[in-house]
Amino acid sequence: IMTVAVLSCGAALLTSAKADSPREDQTRYGLASGNGPLNTLLIHGQPTTPKIAGNSALFVQKIAESGNTDVVLLTSVGGQACD
């Protein structure tokens, strides 16, 4: 349990400043945005490979940096309604 608490505190210290939109956040490699065509993820204006897409919306939040890696949390909102 202590390890999880330490990792959580470390991640909180590395959280980036929020972008203007909840669908975007700044990384060291450019702006991560869920505003691409059909709610696709864009990094520095370019689509990712493989393609990552949300249903009705894709929200992006940078949560940590580790070495040369930026960790982001993606939230896909929406989907098909059930009867």
Side-chain angles (χ1 to χ4, degrees), residues 4-64:
V4 173
V6 171
L7 290 175
S8 295
C9 291
L13 293 174
L14 294 173
T15 301
S16 68
K18 290 292 177 198
D20 291 337
S21 168
R23 295 180 68 174
E24 301 177 333
D25 209 337
Q26 187 63 45
T27 72
R28 292 177 289 178
Y29 304 100
L31 184 67
S33 173
N35 290 325
L38 300 176
N39 302 309
T40 56
L41 178 64
L42 304 176
I43 304 290
H44 198 59
Q46 300 298 314
T48 59
T49 303
K51 179 180 153 185
I52 298 172
N55 287 317
S56 298
L58 184 64
F59 294 89
V60 179
Q61 179 184 12
K62 180 178 172 190
I63 58 171

